[in-house]
Amino acid sequence: MDIKSDVQQQFGKNAASYVSSPIHKDGKDLLKMVEMAQINGQEVLLDIATGGGHTANAFASLVKKVTAVDLTSEMLAAAEEFIKENGYQNVEFVQGDAEKLTFTDESFEIVTCRIAPHHFPNVDLFIKEVHRVLKPGGQFLLDDNVVPETEEFDQFYNTIEKKRDYSHFRAWRKSEWIQKLEESGLEVFEWHRFEKTFRFEPWCANMKLSESEKTYLTKYILESSEKIKDKFRIVIQDEKIISFVGEAIILKALKRK
């Protein structure tokens, strides 16, 4: 299967767990995204790869209209149920591809995308599409897992994510995001790095890993170097992985013209 079919399969069968996932639902990063946005209440906002709908839900009360897009129909259905249960009626749900949006040029004042681009096989096309659909002066708010600049750490994090979730494509380095956005014509205005503690059992459970898959992943992490264990602050008890620490960025870029 190609990567997009992988994404649809993975998220289709795990849609409900993403709506209730604490990292997606309760993250302080979501509050920071809202804080970073400049909003007057009349904006039309596009939330790309809406997933469980948490970002669309957070902005729904603050803007005129939200369009929530996702590649996976089951995810959209779960997001719609979640958002409508919260009483919001100004959110439209559209099935679509982040790398080939169906919207006309310069349609949105704000575009958001949270904890999703590491699944995109061609992030440059995604960024190009963001630039295209943003109005002049528009804001792009990005929130995603990233990897350290060091090759060894980059390889380790992307490997364990791929072993856990075959739909994972790549978590990018902070420097790569800044370069890609600036090359697209977007201007990076503000960004923040923050750490994320991943509890190993829920992290695996989100993807419904089998015991054999979890055992394989545990073995890979246990056999990693002390340098890696120290960098990712991997907590091990009785040959079991308890948690590790990753990193993410929240970034605001502007379309000047």
Side-chain angles (χ1 to χ4, degrees):
M1 291 190 297
D2 64 34
I3 188 71
K4 292 182 183 179
S5 296
D6 289 347
V7 169
Q8 288 176 311
Q9 183 179 48
Q10 273 287 52
F11 286 92
K13 68 183 182 182
N14 296 306
S17 65
Y18 270 82
V19 175
S20 58
S21 164
I23 282 180
H24 295 80
K25 177 167 63 82
D26 303 324
K28 292 180 181 178
D29 56 304
L30 188 50
L31 296 176
K32 188 65 177 177
M33 279 184 83
V34 173
E35 178 188 313
M36 288 167 66
Q38 286 191 309
I39 300 173
N40 61 28
Q42 296 305 306
E43 292 85 2
V44 178
L45 181 148
L46 174 65
D47 184 38
I48 299 175
T50 197
H54 304 104
T55 306
N57 182 76
F59 280 95
S61 66
L62 305 173
V63 300
K64 183 178 180 180
K65 181 185 176 183
V66 176
T67 298
V69 173
D70 203 274
L71 187 64
T72 308
S73 59
E74 294 91 340
M75 264 299 192
L76 277 177
E80 183 169 4
E81 181 180 1
F82 167 64
I83 291 170
K84 288 188 174 176
E85 279 179 356
N86 291 327
Y88 299 121
Q89 302 297 322
N90 63 331
V91 182
E92 176 188 21
F93 300 88
V94 177
Q95 188 170 3
D97 186 339
E99 297 171 4
K100 194 176 181 181
L101 298 170
T102 57
F103 310 105
T104 57
D105 296 358
E106 301 183 355
S107 298
F108 301 94
E109 282 85 9
I110 302 174
V111 174
T112 58
C113 189
R114 177 175 178 256
I115 323 181
H118 57 271
H119 293 286
F120 301 165
N122 193 327
V123 77
D124 293 324
L125 277 181
F126 157 66
I127 294 169
K128 184 178 179 181
E129 284 292 86
V130 169
H131 186 279
R132 181 181 67 78
V133 301
L134 269 177
K135 294 182 178 181
Q139 306 165 69
F140 173 44
L141 295 161
L142 167 76
D143 178 351
D144 201 20
N145 303 335
V146 293
V147 291
E149 301 293 307
T150 304
E151 180 68 22
E152 181 183 2
F153 300 149
D154 176 332
Q155 290 295 322
F156 173 79
Y157 181 80
N158 275 302
T159 297
I160 63 171
E161 277 286 14
K162 189 71 176 180
K163 288 180 184 295
R164 179 188 75 114
D165 174 8
Y166 57 77
S167 72
H168 175 87
F169 185 77
R170 171 163 171 73
W172 298 89
R173 300 178 186 183
K174 299 174 287 294
S175 60
E176 289 173 325
W177 270 117
I178 292 170
Q179 181 177 359
K180 287 175 179 297
L181 289 167
E182 291 191 348
E183 286 178 348
S184 79
L186 293 168
E187 185 174 295
V188 176
F189 184 78
E190 177 182 358
W191 70 275
H192 301 267
R193 175 194 180 274
F194 63 100
E195 294 184 335
K196 299 173 78 167
T197 298
F198 295 95
R199 304 292 298 180
F200 188 73
E201 290 295 331
W203 183 67
C204 291
N206 265 359
M207 289 291 103
K208 296 183 171 63
L209 289 190
S210 67
E211 280 304 312
S212 62
E213 289 170 326
K214 193 164 67 172
T215 298
Y216 179 73
L217 184 52
T218 298
K219 184 174 183 290
Y220 180 83
I221 295 173
L222 288 175
E223 292 176 352
S224 64
S225 70
E226 290 303 314
K227 184 179 176 183
I228 284 173
K229 288 173 182 169
D230 181 60
K231 172 62 179 177
F232 291 94
R233 300 202 286 287
I234 300 169
V235 177
I236 301 167
Q237 292 178 4
D238 300 323
E239 295 297 295
K240 291 185 177 180
I241 313 299
I242 305 301
S243 65
F244 66 93
V245 175
E247 63 179 309
I249 59 168
I250 309 172
L251 182 151
K252 179 166 78 171
L254 304 178
K255 180 177 176 177
R256 290 299 187 185
K257 60 180 181 178

